[in-house]
């Protein structure tokens, strides 16, 4: 049996000029994940990260803390353009507090999944590239191998929704609750590909838990 570990990036820089950077807390979250791996004597046999800076920074912090090696890059694990989506629904969304921003984003996602394409990439295109990237990782997760994937909440929600239901019906509910630097584990075996754990974050102290 092989395993896949889908890791959401640490907290990014909401409200800053460049969102695509880990905050100080985000780096601490990623480091805490790596420290937990090192303490348990576990390390992934393979690692891949999306093409965004926050993915790379999370991978580097976690892998360095665990004493592991490097990682490959696959931009198909990138997040959808949530900032552009939110702006399309509410041009002032980025100036709002995180809860108000999330409300604007959720309205935009509903429209996006229904066929609106304010961000250039359609939802169908997003889902297609993510599931294709996941299938490649499944092929890597052969017996005895553990693949760590450093990505974002959207790709994790898309994969888990399809594992549980075979469609997109859980995407938004799952997307809303993925914690920064959490781990979602999928097992790959003779009986197929199955979800083992979603959004696991025991390695994070309560005061380090964030959703955005």
């Amino acid at each position: 049996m092989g395993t896949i570990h889908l890791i959401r990036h640490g907290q990014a820089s909401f409200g800053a000029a460049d969102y695509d950077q880990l905050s100080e807390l985000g780096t601490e979250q990623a480091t805490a994940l790596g420290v937990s791996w090192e303490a348990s004597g576990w390390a992934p046999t393979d690692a891949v990260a999306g093409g965004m800076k926050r993915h790379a920074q999370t991978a580097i912090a976690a892998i360095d803390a665990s004493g592991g090696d490097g990682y490959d890059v696959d931009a198909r694990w990138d997040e959808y353009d949530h900032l552009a989506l939110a702006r399309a629904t509410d041009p002032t969304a980025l100036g709002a507090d995180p809860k108000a921003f999330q409300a604007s984003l959720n309205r935009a996602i509903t429209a996006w999944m229904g066929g609106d394409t304010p961000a250039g990439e359609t939802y169908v295109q997003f889902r297609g590239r993510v599931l294709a990237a996941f299938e490649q990782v499944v092929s890597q997760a052969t017996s005895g191998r553990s693949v760590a994937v450093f990505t974002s909440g959207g790709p994790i929600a898309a994969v888990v929704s399809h594992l549980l239901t075979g469609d997109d019906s859980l995407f938004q509910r799952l997307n809303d609750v993925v914690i920064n630097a959490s781990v979602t584990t999928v097992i790959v075996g003779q009986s197929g590909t199955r979800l083992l754990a979603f959004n696991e974050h025991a390695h994070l102290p309560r005061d380090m838990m964030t959703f955005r």
Side-chain angles (χ1 to χ4, degrees):
M1 183 178 68
T3 58
I4 299 167
H5 307 270
L6 304 174
I7 300 148
R8 187 186 178 195
H9 60 79
Q11 184 189 60
S13 298
F14 182 79
D18 184 2
Y19 174 86
D20 192 21
Q21 296 277 355
L22 291 192
S23 67
E24 181 177 348
L25 175 58
T27 302
E28 292 174 358
Q29 291 167 335
T31 300
L33 174 60
V35 168
S36 73
W37 289 349
E38 194 277 335
S40 67
W42 182 88
T45 59
D46 305 89
V48 60
M52 294 177 159
K53 286 181 281 188
R54 58 190 184 271
H55 300 155
Q57 291 163 358
T58 302
I60 290 167
I63 291 171
D64 282 356
S66 67
D69 295 322
Y71 60 93
D72 296 323
V73 176
D74 185 348
R76 293 178 298 177
W77 286 107
D78 285 1
E79 184 64 288
Y80 57 88
D81 192 344
H82 71 292
L83 300 180
L85 283 178
R87 286 192 203 99
T89 297
D90 179 3
T92 67
L94 295 184
D97 64 69
K99 287 186 178 180
F101 173 83
Q102 190 65 49
S104 294
L105 178 59
N106 283 344
R107 291 192 297 273
I109 289 174
T110 298
W112 184 48
M113 293 180 72
D116 286 356
T117 56
E121 182 180 43
T122 68
Y123 178 77
V124 171
Q125 289 170 332
F126 163 75
R127 178 188 64 201
R129 66 169 166 83
V130 169
L131 295 182
F134 179 66
E135 286 305 313
Q136 180 171 328
V137 170
V138 168
S139 71
Q140 290 179 257
T142 53
S143 181
R145 303 199 73 80
S146 299
V147 185
V149 179
F150 296 89
T151 181
S152 292
I156 293 170
V159 167
V160 173
S161 183
H162 276 261
L163 285 174
L164 292 177
T165 68
D167 57 35
D168 304 311
S169 57
L170 293 179
F171 174 74
Q172 278 194 272
R173 290 186 181 185
L174 296 169
N175 192 42
D176 276 354
V177 297
V178 185
I179 292 171
N180 291 116
S182 65
V183 182
T184 292
T185 301
V186 176
I187 56 175
V188 181
Q190 291 183 345
S191 58
T193 304
R194 294 173 292 165
L195 180 68
L196 180 65
F198 171 67
N199 212 23
E200 197 282 313
H201 54 278
H203 52 281
L204 296 175
R206 182 170 293 276
D207 61 357
M208 288 176 63
M209 286 174 49
T210 59
F211 294 91
R212 180 161 301 286

